[in-house]
């Protein structure tokens, strides 16, 4: 199997993006991988700190190992939004392919210092490191009822990104260019700041990462990929599909009224719903047939 770095290099050169789809349960993984299998796409399974604490870092790695063989696909595992050195180290030690250090709450100097420390820890292990400059706000478990406004000061500042990349030595860079975690009630996020992305792209060679992919207008996604976005993170869309389908399936609560209580009978519909969302995104990102 080719390495994740290989796929990043190819995505950058050929202008497509790898999808990162987060999970906190085996059923979601199944939906994600069925989609990757149908479309012959490389895929990154993401776990935030919270998700990975629920699943277990070692359990996630064991699952990836078994499924890589079974599906015969380039399946990678990323620690998403790792906030502390200690937890990022645990993920690396457990065998994650990639770690995202989210130093967005730190000063730029502190972010650089911590990122360097993690990069040194990785050494020659081949783990891909994602750094972040700028703030991608809010929460991937929310539907916002009012229009969400991105603050100018939260966007990635080009000078900061340049300095960070030069000093921290990360492999890929997450940028804040107008998306946010979660979705607003219309289901469509505000338009991306292509002007800022273009500026970043003109100064930075690294593959760029777009967080908060859920609900982003399709044309914006396509344009962002042309401007250097090589990985797109999706969580809220798959969480919604999974949870809403389960709610519908489990709607009849009482056993006597025919309510289903057998998980392997009520879960497949939710798995298919996740698969449909992931297939839609893989096609949009252009990673179909790239495995
Ligand atoms: O890191 C994860 C993501 O950026 C997911 O964001 O839930 O808005 O798709 P999303
Ligand atoms: Zn994110």
């Amino acid at each position: 199997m080719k390495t994740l770095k290989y796929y990043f290099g190819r995505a950058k050169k050929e202008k497509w993006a790898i999808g990162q789809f987060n999970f906190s349960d085996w059923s979601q993984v199944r939906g994600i991988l069925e989609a990757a299998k149908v479309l012959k796409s490389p895929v990154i399974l993401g776990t935030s700190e919270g998700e990975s604490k629920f699943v277990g870092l070692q359990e996630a790695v064991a699952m990836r190992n078994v499924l890589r063989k079974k599906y015969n696909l380039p399946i990678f595992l990323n620690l998403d939004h790792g906030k502390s050195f200690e937890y990022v180290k645990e993920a690396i030690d457990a065998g994650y392919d990639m770690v995202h250090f989210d130093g967005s709450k730190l000063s730029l100097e502190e972010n650089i210092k911590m990122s360097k420390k993690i990069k040194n820890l990785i050494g020659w292990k081949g783990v891909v490191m994602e750094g972040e400059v700028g703030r991608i706000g809010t929460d991937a478990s929310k539907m916002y009822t009012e229009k969400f406004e991105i603050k100018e000061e939260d966007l990635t500042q080009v000078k900061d990104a340049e300095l960070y990349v030069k000093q921290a030595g990360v492999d890929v860079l997450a940028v804040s260019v107008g998306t946010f975690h979660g979705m607003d009630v219309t289901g469509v996020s505000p338009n991306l700041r292509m002007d800022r992305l273009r500026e970043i792209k003109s100064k930075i060679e690294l593959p760029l990462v777009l967080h908060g992919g859920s609900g982003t207008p399709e044309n914006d996604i396509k344009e962002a990929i042309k401007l250097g976005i090589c990985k797109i993170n999706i969580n809220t869309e798959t969480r919604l599909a999974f949870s809403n389908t389960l709610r519908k399936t489990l709607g009849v609560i009482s056993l006597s009224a025919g309510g289903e209580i057998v998980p392997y009978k009520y879960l497949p519909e939710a798995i298919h719903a996740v698969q449909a969302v992931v297939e839609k995104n893989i096609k949009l990102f252009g990673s179909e047939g790239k495995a």
Side-chain angles (χ1 to χ4, degrees), residues 81 181 211 233:
H81 293 281
H181 293 125
H211 281 249
N233 292 7

Side-chain angles (χ1 to χ4, degrees), residues 16-247:
W16 49 272
I18 309 174
Q20 175 188 304
F21 302 97
N22 282 34
F23 72 96
S24 45
D25 176 80
W26 150 242
S27 296
Q28 288 170 287
V29 173
R30 196 153 159 180
I32 297 164
L33 295 187
E34 286 299 319
K37 182 171 87 180
V38 170
L39 298 174
K40 298 183 177 48
S41 170
V43 75
I44 297 174
L45 298 171
T47 60
S48 64
E49 285 198 3
E51 286 163 332
S52 63
K53 280 174 188 160
F54 181 74
V55 175
L57 290 168
Q58 286 167 14
E59 288 85 341
V61 169
M63 197 150 50
R64 177 212 58 197
N65 290 345
V66 170
L67 296 170
R68 228 180 224 173
K69 273 209 194 116
K70 192 167 174 205
Y71 279 82
N72 193 24
L73 278 176
I75 299 166
F76 303 101
L77 193 56
N78 181 27
L79 175 73
D80 190 36
H81 293 281
K83 303 257 173 31
S84 71
F85 175 81
E86 291 70 25
Y87 200 67
V88 170
K89 182 177 183 311
E90 274 188 53
I92 293 169
D93 291 345
Y96 270 57
D97 303 287
M98 177 171 184
V99 287
H100 163 220
F101 175 64
D102 176 354
S104 58
K105 291 219 165 76
L106 306 174
S107 66
L108 182 63
E109 291 67 33
E110 200 56 28
N111 191 2
I112 291 172
K113 199 172 122 200
M114 291 299 298
S115 301
K116 262 179 160 170
K117 202 171 154 193
I118 293 168
K119 197 61 196 155
N120 283 339
L121 173 76
I122 290 172
W124 295 101
K125 287 191 186 87
V127 174
V128 176
M129 180 170 172
E130 176 180 337
E132 176 171 334
V133 175
R135 238 163 273 117
I136 304 137
T138 71
D139 189 328
S141 58
K142 299 236 163 62
M143 283 294 279
Y144 292 92
T145 45
E146 69 279 358
K147 207 170 147 41
F148 186 77
E149 296 295 341
I150 312 287
K151 291 193 213 102
E152 184 68 31
E153 71 250 34
D154 287 343
L155 296 176
T156 301
Q157 306 299 318
V158 185
K159 286 230 151 9
D160 291 354
E162 272 187 285
L163 185 71
Y164 176 85
V165 165
K166 206 182 287 166
Q167 298 202 354
V170 297
D171 304 297
V172 299
L173 181 72
V175 290
S176 172
V177 288
T179 51
F180 59 91
H181 293 125
M183 281 162 79
D184 73 26
V185 81
T186 63
V188 183
S189 298
N191 292 340
L192 287 193
R193 286 284 302 270
M194 297 303 171
D195 53 333
R196 184 60 56 94
L197 183 55
R198 202 169 282 117
E199 239 185 296
I200 297 169
K201 172 72 187 152
S202 71
K203 303 280 182 192
I204 286 167
E205 278 290 311
L206 294 183
L208 303 174
V209 176
L210 187 71
H211 281 249
S214 293
T216 308
E218 295 199 353
N219 285 340
D220 277 11
I221 295 271
K222 287 183 187 156
E223 180 79 20
I225 292 172
K226 282 189 202 142
L227 292 173
I229 293 291
C230 297
K231 172 165 88 81
I232 301 175
N233 292 7
I234 299 283
N235 200 353
T236 308
E237 279 186 23
T238 48
R239 282 179 170 179
L240 266 178
F242 187 77
S243 306
N244 283 347
T245 309
L246 263 189
R247 251 182 221 114

